[in-house]
Amino acid sequence: MLSVSQRVTAVLFCSPRFRQASDRMLGFLKEPVVVTAKINVSLVALTVMGLMSRLWRLCYPRAVVFDEVYYGQFVSLYMKRIFFVDDSGPPFGHMLLALGGYLGGFDGNFLWNRIGAEYSINVPVWTLRLLPALAGALCVPLAYQILAELHFSHCAALGAALLILLENSLITQSRFMLLESILIFFILLAVLSYLKFYNLQKHSSFSGSWWFWLLLTGVACSCAVGVKYMGLFTYMLLLATAGLHFWHMIGDQNLSNVSLLCHFLARALALIIIPMGLYLSFFYVHLALLYRSGPHDQIMTSAFQASLEGGLARITQGQPLEVAYGSQITLRNVLGKPMQCWLHSHTNTYPIRYENGRGSSHQQQVTCYPFKDVNNWWIVKDPGMQQLVVSNPPRPVRHGHIVQLVHGITTRYLNTHDVAAPLSPHSQEVSCYIDYNISMPAQNLWRVEIVNRESDTDVWKTILSEVRFVHVNTSAVLKLSGASLPEWGYRQLEVVGEKLSKGYHQSMLWNVEEHRYGKSQEQKEREVELHSPTQMDISKNLSFMAKFTELQWKILTLKNEDTEHKYSSSALDWITMDTNIAYWLHPTSGAQIHLLGNVATWASANAAALLYLCLSLWYLLRRRRRIYDIPEDAWQLWMAAGGICGGGWAVNYLPFFLMEKTLFLYHYLPAVTFQILLIPVVLQHLSDHLCRSVLLKSMFSALVVAWFSWVYFVYCTFSPLTYGQPALAPAELRALRWKDTWNILIRKQ
């Protein structure tokens, strides 16, 4: 007698479905496993050609080429783990260049001080230039795929890729340790990823590939911004495009509210939240790598400097954290401009009369001094007590407390009164008070205001607290004016009492940098104490977010003095390529490398952009009159291509007219890349919709072939200036000077 479970098992094994499944399984095991894949041979060929054009003799020249002298310094600092700040942008691009140095075993020992200097044997030139070259090479297949995803023909996509392949300026910029090719790669990758995501939207929403391309869009945008802030322009373009597409989705009645919410959250996650997190991670890695003190420390706050190994950390390590009555301190101005400086005094007095005839108080000078000095030390005194030492236990100074600041060496009190400052007559003079037995009493009481306090009972802390000193009698605030005093003030920086102080400008903020608890009441013993190093037992590190915020602010606000460069240019010069940049010149022969675009391609790109604009305006006017010259799907394709290619050119070019910085031709390369992609768009549109007859199409195709032959001819003609070889004779160099504004270097015979 069979049990119930045995009967069920027998039925299952005897069922036709089970036998069919068994037969399929056995058949699967009998046949070999075959994997098939589609390979786009054109795409592979374009990739190989791109690699050949960018990697060919990459080590030549084995010398510093143009801005390699700039970026190489940062690579060396990465290799040595030394902190630096570069006001040109975020650190991700620098880290990629440093990765090349790391892969090549670079130790960072090279003096990057001159363009044209020969690289020493320890510099891995090939690996340092490898990542920019790979990025430049991959831009060729990316251009092909972008046109394909825009639903243009294979010929149009192939034409776009070949134009990028034969663009001399992009080749030159890709072959050296520079950032533009990496920036353009991430920009194009972001555009391609978004187009693939958008095309999957119609039939594969929330599929694995849909998520992949959406997330890759956000990652590529973040990487582009992380290389250079110019990447922000394309990021904004894609965000605007995604917003427009989502706006159209809202009008789709087939989508439920829940579905729309899911789409919105997915886009917010992939295009905003993840890029922000990735951007923060660039700085996290940057700060983790650069933990040693270096030459750029001085522009950072004392707290930041103290978090680095060596430098200020060696001085401040172990200092008392809480400032108390009797503390001996140095006060650093938080602004750090025009240079870092400390509150300072010396025995010299203000002149009785200034050069303009105004009189002074003839009191002891108080300045801001940009060097470490014993005269930078001050003692925090309790106005109600005479002692200048810290009691046991120490009595900490809190927000709102009234203090006197006594100059450590001269023992005179920090003072201000209703006398005009020497260089800032609308502000009060700050001095150390000297009693001349005249009707000018001391006014030396100051209220401590901790600006970055968490509560009104906060204790004044070493390095961490940013403090305002408000004069009790006049309500003036101790401030660095930034002006340099004349010879009588030893060119030190002026300190004033600002009467009308609204807000908390950094010039009014001070932080304690060096600090010790005073122990000596006698002046001679105190002077010895002031000259000795500090050694106590408290330290404090900044959090990552605090360091990130400060570093990001410095990058955005730090302004190097923009000087006129020999090869600087205006944005108007770029369109017609009226300028060039000499990157390298061989020391003996006429071999040289220039940043010069393919004249045929740039002229064609300008013509394509102008023709696109004119045709678009014409179509818009005609459509307004309900006259439809082209089918609706062709119109949508035309506008989509214009939004990506034309919009990419506009957002990467027009902002430079608003920038007050030294500009170079390479700043135009991201914009011209998008403009080049517009050429095959316009050519296919003309062929499909304006050449109506077979004869016209044939003639147009012949013209396109002739035009492309011209592009190739120009590429070959200028390749000696692109690759730096072969060396050309002076007559040959003169023949390449197609424009009078080009600076082709010709040696005197």
Side-chain angles (χ1 to χ4, degrees), residues 314-326:
R314 290 183 299 180
I315 300 173
T316 60
Q317 185 175 6
Q319 292 186 148
L321 179 62
E322 296 183 347
V323 177
Y325 291 109

Side-chain angles (χ1 to χ4, degrees), residues 50 54 131-141 164 170 174 181-182 185:
R54 271 65 174 176
L131 288 179
L134 289 176
L138 293 176
C139 289
V140 177
I164 298 296
L170 295 180
S174 301
S181 63
I182 301 175
F185 166 75

